[in-house]
Amino acid sequence: MKGQYHHGNLREALISEAIRLLETEGKPGLTLRRVAREVGVSQAAPYSHFKDKQALLLAVCAAGYARFTDRMRGEAEGTTGPAYIAALGRGYIFFALENPALFQLMFNEDRADALQEAYSDPVFSEGYQLLDDGLAKYPIPYFEDDELSRSISWGLVHGLAQLLLGNRISPKDRGYQSASDFIHAAMDKFAGVELGAMKGRK
């Protein structure tokens, strides 16, 4: 990736390269020195944006959460009702499968005091808020609309993502040709898409 950035966007180039290294080589291979080398700048250059590796990881998480929310929004665009909830869930799980190392970092990162304070930034909760707001607007047909039901719903979607990432669920063993087919069916059933369609026909 050397030389693949333009004056003024070094920070974004460093974050993008850090995400690439995270996905290809894992967290141990992610250092400020390595990122600088891959981007094609001096070893000192990243320190004008990140004081240490922990600061870089925080920026990577923030970028990840922004992409995560965009993936959910993109999947749900043009939908409404139960189909909107199903689409948000698909976007959530698809992001996890497409960015496994980033997803794990986002949700499993050790949160030292400095990081814990930084996680109060709205970008870190925007994806969850999108799902929470969606559930408030379009409640699951078989749930009451309350905080507990929304927490259960989040847990279900997140749990499916983790189980698929860990290969603890095999879509083919459950009669589906692909992970995508399984995710579509699972999210439609979870969100009550069929129930919503039946209700609409009454």
Side-chain angles (χ1 to χ4, degrees), residues 23-175:
E23 291 294 347
T24 57
E25 300 185 20
K27 188 177 172 182
L30 182 56
T31 65
L32 284 168
R33 178 177 296 184
R34 177 69 188 283
V35 171
R37 183 169 74 245
E38 294 298 325
V39 171
V41 296
S42 71
Q43 293 181 12
Y47 289 95
S48 62
H49 298 283
F50 311 107
K51 67 177 182 178
D52 53 24
K53 180 179 177 179
Q54 199 74 299
L56 174 62
L57 287 175
L58 181 61
V60 165
C61 283
Y65 275 106
R67 295 182 185 187
F68 173 60
T69 304
D70 286 346
R71 187 68 173 87
M72 292 171 68
R73 281 202 179 103
E75 192 71 25
E77 186 175 1
T79 62
T80 188
Y84 176 76
I85 301 302
L88 288 179
R90 289 198 305 271
Y92 193 116
I93 298 172
F94 285 150
F95 177 88
L97 298 184
E98 293 158 1
N99 308 272
L102 179 57
F103 185 80
Q104 296 293 5
L105 180 71
M106 287 160 52
F107 285 97
N108 297 326
E109 174 61 33
D110 292 334
R111 297 188 179 182
D113 291 342
L115 280 179
Q116 186 66 54
E117 183 177 346
Y119 272 83
S120 63
D121 187 318
V123 71
F124 292 100
S125 60
E126 194 174 1
Y128 169 75
Q129 195 61 51
L130 191 65
L131 180 60
D132 193 59
D133 291 345
L135 287 164
K137 187 174 183 179
Y138 306 116
I140 302 296
Y142 49 86
F143 273 166
E144 293 182 15
D145 177 27
D146 56 24
E147 291 294 334
L148 180 58
S149 295
R150 290 181 222 161
S151 295
I152 293 170
S153 298
W154 184 30
L156 185 147
V157 174
H158 188 80
L160 270 180
Q162 292 285 20
L163 289 168
L164 287 166
L165 276 178
N167 295 315
R168 301 302 297 273
I169 287 180
S170 169
K172 289 188 177 181
D173 288 348
R174 286 161 173 77

